Amino acid sequence: VHGGPGARDFWGFTPTAQWFANRGYACLQVNFRGSTGFGKSFLHKGDKEWGIGAMQHDLSDAVAWAIKEGIADADKVCIYGGSYGGYATLAGMTFTPELYRCGVDIVGPSNIKTLLDSIPPYWAPLRNDMLLKIGDVDSDEAFNKAISPLYHIDKIKSPLLIGQGANDPRVKQAEADQIAFAMADKGIPVEYVLYPDEGHGWARPVNRIDFNGRTEVFLAKHLGGRAEPFLKPEGSTATFPLEDPERQGKTVANV
């Protein structure tokens, strides 16, 4: 699932899609409502449609189409994405858990209110724009809880892999921490990989190779595709907060 959400997937060579195909998976990239490149009307059809609205319904409908066409096995569908796509992954795992065997969330927000509260003052115009796009999570606590996956983790039925950069200025580490810790505390299967020298995605090739290696092992375990034996590449900075003995009590929100 692409990020943004004001972005789009394009026709042409895509390394991630090619990687998945090489490992034996059909890869479906959806330009859901709210994606760019299809006119202003289509773009604004995503307004206030995060998580439980039309943007996520388009992903669910695409899964149903792929199953109906015989492209996908209903019992072996994974949702994978970064940034907004990571949020969509968390939303898919919580709001439509029956659709997905597993999920991979890369730098995705888990609580929209804490996401917006972490925006620095000099990004204030961006924050105001996001409120118009998402909805008023500042004054409507019930709405925020309705669209924030953090408050619905009890619905998750399948394993989740989370990747996060500790220096992410857009989606802070706390967004990954709070959902990973809450899931672990409830005994819900989750793997969490944190890279101390990364931001909003993987800038260092060695860390990209590291997380991709972990991802394909995760997918092979839950979907049955191919994977190379994983060996942590030299120079990778991967850390595992869930294994930190001092992490107890760090869950950010009551869920």
Side-chain angles (χ1 to χ4, degrees):
V1 184
H2 70 68
R8 64 171 294 183
D9 285 315
F10 291 87
W11 173 256
F13 178 79
T14 304
T16 301
Q18 182 61 45
W19 165 45
F20 288 149
N22 180 267
R23 296 305 189 246
Y25 306 114
C27 180
L28 179 61
Q29 298 171 278
V30 182
N31 284 318
F32 45 82
R33 277 169 281 189
S35 300
T36 56
F38 302 95
K40 184 181 291 188
S41 175
F42 188 82
L43 176 67
H44 287 294
K45 287 184 185 298
D47 292 354
K48 299 179 176 62
E49 296 290 337
W50 284 45
I52 56 175
M55 297 168 76
Q56 198 72 26
H57 297 337
D58 287 347
L59 301 179
S60 300
D61 289 346
V63 171
W65 171 84
I67 293 170
K68 182 179 179 181
E69 294 295 313
I71 297 169
D73 183 334
D75 296 325
K76 294 185 178 181
V77 177
C78 174
I79 183 167
Y80 169 107
S83 193
Y84 174 82
Y87 166 80
T89 293
L90 298 178
M93 297 286 284
T94 51
F95 301 132
T96 54
E98 70 282 356
L99 292 182
Y100 302 109
R101 171 70 69 87
C102 60
V104 180
D105 155 37
I106 303 170
V107 298
S110 59
N111 182 339
I112 302 304
K113 182 66 166 66
T114 55
L115 168 72
L116 295 187
D117 285 347
S118 71
I119 291 178
Y122 63 90
W123 283 9
L126 172 63
R127 190 183 195 282
N128 292 335
D129 181 65
M130 291 184 72
L131 282 173
L132 291 173
K133 291 285 189 182
I134 299 169
D136 191 0
V137 296
D138 281 345
S139 61
D140 191 340
E141 181 181 2
F143 175 67
N144 178 64
K145 287 186 174 181
I147 66 171
S148 295
L150 179 65
Y151 295 98
H152 304 272
I153 63 170
D154 287 335
K155 300 176 184 177
I156 296 177
K157 299 179 179 179
S158 304
L160 176 66
L161 172 63
I162 298 173
Q164 178 69 39
N167 299 322
D168 192 336
R170 301 183 193 177
V171 178
K172 301 290 189 180
Q173 179 185 333
E175 293 299 316
D177 283 355
Q178 58 193 357
I179 194 165
F181 295 164
M183 289 179 65
D185 289 344
K186 290 176 178 285
I188 303 169
V190 58
E191 299 177 34
Y192 177 23
V193 188
L194 177 71
Y195 296 89
D197 54 353
E198 294 287 4
H200 196 61
W202 321 134
R204 299 183 64 234
V206 68
N207 286 335
R208 186 179 303 113
I209 292 169
D210 181 277
F211 190 75
N212 286 353
R214 297 177 191 279
T215 297
E216 69 174 32
V217 169
F218 177 82
L219 295 179
K221 177 180 179 181
H222 299 294
L223 300 183
R226 297 192 306 118
E228 295 184 8
F230 179 74
L231 181 64
K232 183 177 180 179
E234 183 177 355
S236 164
T237 59
T239 62
F240 309 95
L242 292 176
E243 299 176 7
D244 182 354
E246 298 181 359
R247 78 163 187 86
Q248 300 299 323
K250 289 185 179 179
T251 303
V252 177
N254 292 321
V255 294

